Amino acid sequence: MMHATHSPPEDWHENAYDLVRGIAVYSGSAVVAGIGKVIAKHRDADIANAFNYKQVGCKIWARDKLLESCGPAFDRIVVLGGWYGILPAMLFEDTRFDIGAIDSYDIDPAVEEVARTLNSAHGDRFRAITADMYALDYRTIGADLIVNTSCEHIADLGLWLELLPRATRVLLQSNDYFSEPTHISCVSSLEEFQARAGLAKLDFAGTLPMKKYNRFMLIGTV
């Protein structure tokens, strides 16, 4: 049987958009549908990097351990360094959770509209906000969980954690990927991460081995 061949389109966006739309229809996934909208609307967004195998694997790990450690119900989750809002999208889509709202904060104004597009299916339950995590008034944002999966980018983890009200529940991730120039505060072990965070109560501590580094995670309260 002869198969027709087609030259790939010069604009890869069109090809990627058609592929992702087809997968979204087949899977019924709001996350995949949101990625399709991002490809169509934000041509410069690095969505392929944000949703690569490593990024998704770390977020699935965080989502599963959060459920095991803290249960399914949250009124408001705050994600710091939220980038394109992938983690909120994955949490919203997981039917095991009962989440009222998620706010995604990032210091880069270029990611705000992308995150809103990705999570547009969730309406007012999702907010993307451009802000510096050091400048937030954590007493007034009303979060029952604060997520920071980029602790390797924080110069002084303990100093930032002191900004949070006591008994605030947190999910923290860092790594030992010292060769990445933007990683200014890596840790060499899970034990070092625990010592730097100094959480008052620890519900989970674990390591996820990756190809080039290890990712460390803590869930507990300050």
Side-chain angles (χ1 to χ4, degrees):
M1 179 179 177
M2 297 295 291
H3 294 273
T5 58
H6 303 275
S7 299
E10 294 182 4
D11 184 359
W12 77 267
H13 283 86
E14 192 65 30
N15 199 26
Y17 179 51
D18 284 343
L19 174 63
V20 171
R21 279 202 306 170
I23 296 173
V25 170
Y26 178 75
S27 65
S29 169
V31 175
V32 178
I35 291 171
K37 292 177 183 177
V38 169
I39 292 172
K41 187 175 180 180
H42 305 283
R43 297 175 66 86
D44 294 330
D46 191 11
I47 193 66
N49 186 27
F51 204 70
N52 68 28
Y53 177 81
K54 292 181 293 184
Q55 294 283 352
V56 171
C58 292
K59 289 174 176 59
I60 289 174
W61 183 47
R63 186 180 65 180
D64 290 347
K65 294 305 179 183
L66 177 63
L67 183 66
E68 291 176 12
S69 302
C70 304
F74 298 91
D75 289 331
R76 182 174 299 277
I77 296 174
V78 164
V79 180
L80 302 175
W83 201 7
Y84 292 149
I86 296 289
L87 180 58
M90 292 173 62
L91 287 169
F92 276 134
E93 185 167 79
D94 192 327
T95 57
R96 298 175 298 174
F97 284 92
D98 178 15
I99 298 171
I102 303 179
D103 297 333
S104 179
Y105 289 85
D106 200 288
I107 199 170
D108 182 359
V111 306
E112 184 175 311
E113 283 302 318
V114 179
R116 287 177 181 158
T117 298
L118 179 67
N119 287 279
S120 58
H122 308 296
D124 294 340
R125 295 174 65 206
F126 176 80
R127 295 192 303 169
I129 303 161
T130 300
D132 184 342
M133 71 173 67
Y134 287 100
L136 296 177
D137 184 353
Y138 292 98
R139 297 168 299 176
T140 63
I141 60 177
D144 51 359
L145 173 68
I146 293 179
V147 178
N148 187 336
T149 61
S150 304
C151 291
E152 66 273 12
H153 294 278
I154 297 179
D156 190 327
L157 178 61
L159 188 63
W160 169 69
L161 286 170
E162 287 180 2
L163 299 175
L164 309 185
R166 296 306 90 188
T168 297
R169 178 176 284 162
V170 294
L171 184 156
L172 309 172
Q173 286 188 358
S174 188
N175 60 55
D176 58 1
Y177 196 10
F178 288 93
S179 60
E180 169 54 52
T182 62
H183 292 178
I184 60 174
S185 189
C186 287
V187 291
S188 58
S189 67
L190 180 62
E191 291 73 22
E192 182 182 353
F193 191 27
Q194 290 179 241
R196 287 195 188 183
L199 297 182
K201 181 175 183 289
L202 187 63
D203 297 309
F204 173 82
T207 302
L208 182 67
M210 311 296 286
K211 184 176 181 180
K212 294 183 178 180
Y213 59 91
N214 292 298
R215 182 162 288 273
F216 309 115
M217 183 163 64
L218 307 174
I219 301 172
T221 54
V222 298

